[in-house]
Amino acid sequence: MSKLEILVIDDEPQIRKLLEINLESNGYKVLQAESGKEGILLSANRAPDLIILDLGLPDKSGHEVLKELRVWYKKAIIILSVQNNENDIVLALDNGATDYLTKPFRTGELLARIRASLKRNTSPEGNALNLFNDIEIDFVGRTVKREGDLIKLTSTEYDLLALFANNAGRVLTHQYILREIWGVGLQTETQYLRVFVGTLRKKIEISPNRPRHIITESGVGYRFV
Amino acid sequence: MSKLEILVIDDEPQIRKLLEINLESNGYKVLQAESGKEGILLSANRAPDLIILDLGLPDKSGHEVLKELRVWYKKAIIILSVQNNENDIVLALDNGATDYLTKPFRTGELLARIRASLKRNTSPEGNALNLFNDIEIDFVGRTVKREGDLIKLTSTEYDLLALFANNAGRVLTHQYILREIWGVGLQTETQYLRVFVGTLRKKIEISPNRPRHIITESGVGYRFV
DNA sequence: TTAGTGCATAAAGAATTTGTAAAAAATAAA
DNA sequence: TTTATTTTTTACAAATTCTTTATGCACTAA
């Protein structure tokens, strides 16, 4: 899994440095902007997973930046500000800020609030369902259905099918499949593959001897449709 | 549109009164509880749209209440506490609190944070009572029934079943289950899991050697249906 | 035709994984 | 303390999955 990206929009270099160190040591990738304009540009180009926004920017008010971002940016925006007056807090939250922290802040708390915000980013549970005609693969649940009925697959069979499904339409060479599923040591055991394709076909194809999903590409490999 | 309901769990009557006045004048309906137990019960019965929870309760720690609620309650929980130390804040947020405010708080800010939390309240309804065919699990009472008859489970057995029920239909790996129930240190003790799945099956399955609820996914983990 | 190559399938054996019973240890209750 | 309950270990049986071998078919080229 790749690192989550966090964009820091703040004009104070010390704060940016402090955040950079803390965030990177916690496994995040950090992008930096020192003005509102640059921040908006970067958000549009890189689509970070979370934005930390300072209210006191040189070129334009942080409230304005927040408003502009919220037109299209749907993920978490945490406000970080020296302003501790209620009006600013209420305004920011009502403009769609996910959270509001006042400087000086405690890094542990900030990290916890970042975790909480990121958790909610993904919450509308996008069950990664993949449909291939009569075959339905649920990558989250690790289950496979044909015409609504659950099919029992062994773990290798599932891995193989998932590999096919993730490369639907593409021809996968024997070598490549063997390397992905069995590892580099067994790249030459083409017979494994034949056996497993056989059992998979028996389970997911309507007529296994006339496969419509796992197509043989003679001399090369297989293709999933 | 009917009024949104907010449950206040706090043992201080003054705070409850203050919140009641402020919330009701802002168009919310207010429910009140003065202990953790009462709060959990009320949440289960009334399913409020948001919960405001004080950490310093007389009967049990607010952190415990939060954890118990989060097993099934999916909407916003805002923590209100005199504790301003980082550990409490981090713990609460990591346990699923939506937000954390320290007393004394500014009502305008609280209201803004409530609005922000309610806006994000999109997750599907969680229910304290869960039905899986003949099995009925009550997350509030921590009780399990099969065809109406109470089943006696040890606490680990219950935790395991609750974990399964909260992830019904999806395959849970051995590692994941062990981490959730026994903690990070015992991730490799797969045998524990076998024994407990065995006893659980004996208690909830009609024919334990042909399980219909806890399905083995050989080489991977288990799946609950 | 006949040998050669690549693929499909069945089935036996090997290896791994899982289930179960029961004893030992730890914890909670009386 | 004693007793009861729950959890952790241990040992072995059962089931499942993976690997290997054998065989037949289809196609191609000499």
Side-chain angles (χ1 to χ4, degrees):
Chain A
M1 204 173 85
S2 64
K3 288 181 179 177
L4 291 170
E5 283 191 353
I6 297 181
L7 168 62
V8 177
I9 309 179
D10 198 316
D11 61 324
E12 294 176 69
Q14 314 95 289
I15 297 277
R16 288 208 307 276
K17 194 70 197 166
L18 172 68
L19 288 174
E20 185 188 353
I21 292 170
N22 275 289
L23 294 174
E24 295 207 325
S25 70
N26 277 276
Y28 301 111
K29 176 149 195 227
V30 178
L31 305 172
Q32 301 186 27
E34 51 184 314
S35 72
K37 210 170 164 186
E38 195 191 344
I40 292 175
L41 218 70
L42 254 176
S43 330
N45 288 332
R46 305 291 297 268
D49 299 288
L50 184 146
I51 296 176
I52 296 176
L53 173 63
D54 180 27
L55 278 194
L57 295 171
D59 55 339
K60 53 169 80 182
S61 135
H63 290 296
E64 277 175 54
V65 177
L66 174 61
K67 261 180 162 169
E68 281 188 49
L69 281 173
R70 266 295 175 247
V71 173
W72 57 273
Y73 186 80
K74 304 296 178 199
K75 295 181 178 172
I77 300 178
I78 296 181
I79 304 293
L80 208 58
S81 166
V82 285
Q83 300 299 330
N84 188 19
N85 72 70
E86 198 167 10
N87 283 344
D88 271 309
I89 300 180
V90 172
L91 182 60
L93 288 172
D94 282 342
N95 278 338
T98 313
D99 208 335
Y100 191 111
L101 250 90
T102 50
K103 298 184 196 174
F105 55 89
R106 292 173 284 204
T107 45
E109 179 178 352
L110 175 63
L111 286 168
R113 288 191 184 268
I114 287 174
R115 282 195 295 278
S117 301
L118 286 172
K119 216 186 293 170
R120 261 174 268 133
N121 262 352
T122 50
S123 63
E125 294 195 20
N127 242 23
L129 270 189
N130 276 44
L131 260 178
F132 304 92
N133 261 331
D134 52 340
I135 303 296
E136 182 188 313
I137 305 176
D138 177 349
F139 287 114
V140 177
R142 221 188 141 92
T143 53
V144 178
K145 289 181 182 177
R146 190 182 67 191
E147 290 176 348
D149 299 324
L150 256 173
I151 298 177
K152 196 171 183 302
L153 297 182
T154 71
S155 98
T156 313
E157 283 162 10
Y158 174 84
D159 290 344
L160 185 57
L161 181 59
L163 182 68
F164 277 136
N166 276 322
N167 296 281
R170 236 174 281 165
V171 178
L172 302 180
T173 64
H174 299 134
Q175 270 228 345
Y176 175 78
I177 301 172
L178 285 163
R179 183 151 27 92
E180 289 294 312
I181 307 289
W182 280 270
V184 260
L186 302 166
Q187 280 183 54
T188 50
E189 300 289 335
T190 325
Q191 182 55 19
Y192 289 11
L193 193 47
R194 296 214 186 90
V195 173
F196 273 83
V197 165
T199 56
L200 248 188
R201 277 179 177 154
K202 248 185 264 172
K203 290 183 181 183
I204 69 168
E205 302 279 5
I206 298 167
S207 41
N209 50 339
R210 280 231 252 108
R212 309 191 57 74
H213 282 297
I214 306 176
I215 310 296
T216 303
E217 297 284 345
S218 200
V220 187
Y222 295 92
R223 187 163 46 89
F224 186 75
V225 205
Chain B
M1 198 174 89
S2 67
K3 288 183 180 179
L4 290 171
E5 284 192 353
I6 296 181
L7 168 63
V8 177
I9 308 179
D10 199 317
D11 60 324
E12 294 175 69
Q14 317 93 287
I15 298 278
R16 288 209 307 277
K17 194 69 195 167
L18 172 68
L19 287 173
E20 185 188 352
I21 293 170
N22 275 289
L23 293 174
E24 294 206 327
S25 71
N26 276 276
Y28 300 113
K29 176 150 195 224
V30 178
L31 305 172
Q32 301 186 27
E34 52 185 310
S35 72
K37 213 170 165 186
E38 194 191 343
I40 291 176
L41 225 68
L42 254 177
S43 329
N45 290 332
R46 304 291 296 269
D49 299 288
L50 184 146
I51 295 176
I52 295 176
L53 172 65
D54 180 26
L55 278 194
L57 294 171
D59 56 339
K60 53 169 85 179
S61 135
H63 289 297
E64 277 174 53
V65 178
L66 174 61
K67 259 181 161 168
E68 281 189 47
L69 282 172
R70 266 294 174 249
V71 174
W72 58 273
Y73 186 81
K74 307 294 181 198
K75 294 180 178 175
I77 300 178
I78 296 182
I79 304 293
L80 209 56
S81 166
V82 284
Q83 300 299 329
N84 189 19
N85 72 70
E86 197 168 10
N87 284 343
D88 272 307
I89 300 180
V90 172
L91 183 61
L93 289 172
D94 282 341
N95 279 338
T98 313
D99 208 335
Y100 191 111
L101 249 89
T102 49
K103 297 183 194 174
F105 55 89
R106 291 173 286 202
T107 45
E109 180 177 352
L110 175 63
L111 286 168
R113 289 192 183 268
I114 288 174
R115 282 195 295 279
S117 300
L118 285 172
K119 217 185 296 170
R120 264 174 275 138
N121 248 351
T122 47
S123 33
E125 284 274 337
N127 210 325
L129 263 183
N130 277 46
L131 258 179
F132 302 92
N133 263 331
D134 53 338
I135 303 296
E136 182 189 314
I137 305 175
D138 178 352
F139 285 130
V140 173
R142 283 177 73 94
T143 54
V144 178
K145 289 180 183 177
R146 190 182 66 191
E147 290 175 348
D149 300 325
L150 252 172
I151 296 177
K152 193 170 182 293
L153 296 182
T154 71
S155 112
T156 312
E157 284 163 9
Y158 172 83
D159 289 343
L160 185 57
L161 182 59
L163 181 68
F164 277 136
N166 270 319
N167 296 282
R170 93 177 52 144
V171 176
L172 303 180
T173 64
H174 300 132
Q175 273 227 344
Y176 175 79
I177 301 172
L178 286 163
R179 183 151 27 91
E180 290 294 312
I181 307 288
W182 280 271
V184 257
L186 302 167
Q187 280 184 55
T188 50
E189 300 289 336
T190 326
Q191 181 56 20
Y192 291 10
L193 191 48
R194 291 205 197 96
V195 173
F196 273 83
V197 164
T199 56
L200 249 188
R201 277 179 177 153
K202 250 185 259 169
K203 291 182 180 184
I204 69 167
E205 301 279 5
I206 298 166
S207 42
N209 49 339
R210 281 236 249 109
R212 309 193 59 71
H213 282 298
I214 305 176
I215 310 296
T216 303
E217 296 284 342
S218 198
V220 186
Y222 295 92
R223 188 164 44 86
F224 186 75
V225 204

